[in-house]
Amino acid sequence: MAAPTEAQIAHQQLIEQLDIHSIHKNFRNPNWRPNQRRNKNLKAIVGDASRREASALATPQDISGDATPADDGLSTSGTTTPANSSSGSNPPNLAQASRSLSKLVLEKSLKPSNGAAVSAPTATYTNIESAPSLSHSKHYCDITGLPAPYMDPKTRLRYHNGEVFGLIRSIPQTTAEQFLEARGAHTILK
Amino acid sequence: MAPSAIDQSAAAAPPDTKTYPPAKIFPVKETRFEKYIEPETGGRSKALQQPDSAAIVIDNGSHAVRAGWSFEKKPRFSMPPIMSKYRDRKLGKTFSFAGSDCYADTTARGHIRNAFEAGTGIVSNWDAMEHVLDYVFLKLGMNDADGSIDAPVIMTEAVANLPYSRKSMTEILFECYGAPSLAYGIDSLFSYRHNKGTTGLVISSSYTSTHVIPVYNSKALLRQTTRLNWGGYHSAEYLLKLIRLKYPAFTGKLNSSQAEHMVKEYCYLSRDYDQELKGYLDWTGLEDRDIVIQYPYTEEVIVQKSEEELARIAERKKESGRRLQEQAAKMRLEKLMKKEQDLEYYKQLQGKLVDETKKETRRLLDSHDIKHEAELEKIIKELEKAIKKARTKDVGGDPEENEEQPDFSLLEIPDDQLDEAQIKQKRQQRLLKSNHEARARAKAEKEAEKARVAEEERLDNERRENDLEGWLDEKRQIHADTLAKMKERDRLKQDLGNRKSLASQIRMKSIANLASDQPGKKRRRGGDDDNFGANDDDWGVYRQIAVGENSDDEQEEEDLMSNLKTVEQELLKYDPNFDYEQTHEAQSDWSKSLLHAFARGPRPFDPASQAELSQIHLNVERIRVPEVVFRPSIAGVDQAGLIDIAGDILNQRLTGLANHEDFLRDIFLTGGNTLFQNFDERVREGLRSLLPADSPIKVRRADDALLDAWKGAAGWAGTSAWKAAKISREEYQEKGPDYIKEHDMGNSYA
């Protein structure tokens, strides 16, 4: 093999200098062993969170007054706290209490923290997303971006004038789909 | 229609090739490795002296992580939240890099991983995040510490960050780095704080999202906050998509980093989008609107020859041609001489034969492989003829012209009066005669045709002179017809590609007919033989099924073209109303083409030039891409635009508050995506149309839309609010990773 050139040597030195793998990091806890499956994508995180939320929402309804026997003695409805209702005259059934404990916890944790009437639910990543637009959207040419008074029924592309139409008719359907995709109007086969 | 050209005057001839001022061409840019950042230790010792107020501040952005000490004016460094780790097999060594160091090496570039989920402000790759944090702490000189970070940490996070993400980050900072305390805050609120805002509407458009957050008495109303999933990242991806569609055959390598730089440098928000868009590709001013980006390319090496060299080459060519000619002439001469010698010889032989006995003659002839005297005569005649021909050729005469009428004497004499040799000769003469006559006929026909054309032209001219208007009308009609025919042909050609078109269906039908074994009605009637091929048109069916009916070969196309050309020439000459502008050539010229203006700008395009092939023209995109924040539907995002969101918050959600007009008095813009020219203008104009007429709207920009978040967080460190908001290590250990304290700058517990 040929001897490395000067530039190659310089580059190698730079790489060695930039490398942070070989540097011992004193500030790190040497015993830190993270969970192997901690990398989750947004969809999975939101999915997990909403599932937890859904199950939590479903649970208190199960034990609301009309669905459960009256002598449950624990929670009645979502509005009153379980502490109030369980302080009634009937001594709580221990087996039932243990069964419902997790539900109670959930119910409590779902209750708004300050107790006062809240106009909107707490902000979460999903519910602060802006709603679809209600205003009429103007149409623009998919090829040039200029105002588009026409639409080609075959490819569903919007176009500005006859010349653009000529181009639209000369491109294959797959390319047309790509143009549509830029506008989010492409066909998705499931 | 395409906008008309500006300065092509109504000339009868194609305008002279114009010269164009040199185009403004910008080189393509992308993020690169810059330089090695030295770890710096001074900050830590300084921080240790003021444990109550000093903190490490990390603005953990999806585009750039900015980190530094709270007691300094600005962050120490800014780096992309990326890492790259790979194993060099040759060296048996693992390398890992973070930040822009990843761009230093090609292999490293190939292994880049982003800590954030693409297009969101949510961290999803915690290994990458740890690498980035390692890098941050290394460069801040924390390697002198032992076992843990010994300075409080302030970090920014996304608005309404997901609990899982916050929990993971908290775990890492306390468990892995052993931070003494940690506080989270929202970047745009820090920016607002830094710009001394108390009540107002914060519009933060950054790399991965756009948020509108109302702030009331320095407290963010998070429940009224709205997010639009559009930011610089999406703009760059959108632009990249548009460029790829615009130049499907582009050879250069396009990546999103380049697109990001294009968005940043050449895009701007239009003050009146629809109005500006309408005339964006007009020729007037396109020069200024069109931005040319040059990608690297390799020029094909064309060796430029000097005048002298060219002359020498021409001389050499001429020389060799002359030599060849000379050689040919010499050869011809030699042949001629040989033929003459032969002729001489044979003549001598003939002379000898005259007084020889029959036997001797026979012997002499046999020795020359000649059968009888007649053949000898023929040879001599042929030689004479050849010599004559060669001689005339050398002097340049036409052999056909001065050829006299051949001898057809034998044709008149009946066969029975001739001997065998004569009959043979007669047959030859007959052949010659028919040949001769055919030539004469052809010549006559040619003459007649010439005369007919001349006559037609004469009549045409006469008609033109007598009735110019009628003549012109006729020509115009022809012109229009030819154009229509060409159009029709193009349409049919296109139709053929469509399976459902009439042309295609007819074609399929005839294929099916030809392929079917069942005899048709016609065949049954006419017996087994269907007479196919008797009519020449029958064969057209093969052409029809091969390419479809009405499809035409090149020939017809050429004909139409040349017809059009002649008619146009005549019209140009005699019709005062017909100028060059109306010719087909001018109509299909690039300066009439909107698509040319779109893809190639206001200059002619030379497809042979490598430089021009690796150029990208940005024109409509310059306003089309930033506009998406205001109209997400352009890019297919099914969300309300920024103005709609802000208007909704101001008009619907905040009306309950007593002094809700205060929000209008301070509409605050921060984040890199608000840096577009006219952004503040657009927000002001947009809101004005949604709000009551006399609303006091004031829009202002952050001093530094990029760094103010970090600066605000740094300024927050040491305050009593910070002290109340931070979570200590002990609290973490007691209450777990989900525990947070709500405060003015941060998210609420969800």
Side-chain angles (χ1 to χ4, degrees), chain B residues 529-562:
Chain B
D529 185 19
D530 60 355
N531 289 329
F532 181 87
N535 186 350
D536 273 350
D537 290 345
D538 289 351
W539 300 101
V541 81
Y542 288 112
R543 219 182 97 207
Q544 192 185 321
I545 59 172
V547 276
E549 197 170 25
N550 283 321
S551 76
D552 27 60
D553 35 10
E554 304 281 296
Q555 188 65 42
E556 199 179 331
E557 205 166 322
E558 296 268 286
D559 280 359
L560 282 175
M561 255 340 234
S562 65

Side-chain angles (χ1 to χ4, degrees), chain A:
Chain A
M1 219 189 113
T5 62
E6 211 161 291
Q8 280 171 331
I9 294 169
H11 182 71
Q12 197 55 43
Q13 277 172 350
L14 176 71
I15 297 297
E16 303 271 346
Q17 187 186 28
L18 295 178
D19 177 35
I20 58 169
H21 189 76
S22 53
I23 303 172
H24 180 73
K25 295 157 199 93
N26 291 327
F27 49 83
R28 277 179 76 106
N29 178 0
N31 302 318
W32 166 241
R33 293 284 173 271
N35 180 359
Q36 286 300 311
R37 293 167 63 188
R38 62 181 170 159
N39 289 347
K40 289 193 204 172
N41 63 19
L42 180 63
K43 208 174 151 195
I45 303 173
V46 170
D48 287 352
S50 65
R51 218 169 303 129
R52 211 175 310 126
E53 212 171 298
S55 75
L57 279 175
T59 325
Q61 271 165 13
D62 275 346
I63 53 170
S64 66
D66 32 81
T68 48
D71 64 346
D72 189 327
L74 287 165
S75 174
T76 50
S77 73
T79 49
T80 53
T81 58
N84 292 338
S85 60
S86 62
S87 64
S89 53
N90 293 351
N93 182 329
L94 264 182
Q96 270 181 342
S98 70
R99 194 188 65 216
S100 313
L101 189 62
S102 61
K103 294 177 183 177
L104 290 179
V105 171
L106 275 170
E107 206 173 352
K108 186 165 176 80
S109 69
L110 273 172
K111 220 176 68 77
S113 49
N114 53 3
V118 190
S119 59
T122 36
T124 63
Y125 188 79
T126 39
N127 74 9
I128 64 167
E129 216 164 337
S130 130
S133 175
L134 296 173
S135 57
H136 169 73
S137 63
K138 289 207 175 72
H139 293 176
Y140 298 102
C141 175
D142 283 312
I143 314 291
T144 62
L146 298 174
Y150 320 106
M151 191 189 81
D152 173 23
K154 187 181 154 210
T155 56
R156 305 194 314 286
L157 286 171
R158 292 173 185 155
Y159 61 94
H160 177 67
N161 67 8
E163 196 196 344
V164 182
F165 180 68
L167 176 79
I168 286 178
R169 278 302 165 95
S170 70
I171 58 173
Q173 185 62 36
T174 45
T175 318
E177 278 296 313
Q178 286 171 338
F179 276 108
L180 286 172
E181 199 224 318
R183 167 158 67 87
H186 56 303
T187 318
I188 304 166
L189 294 173
K190 278 182 185 163

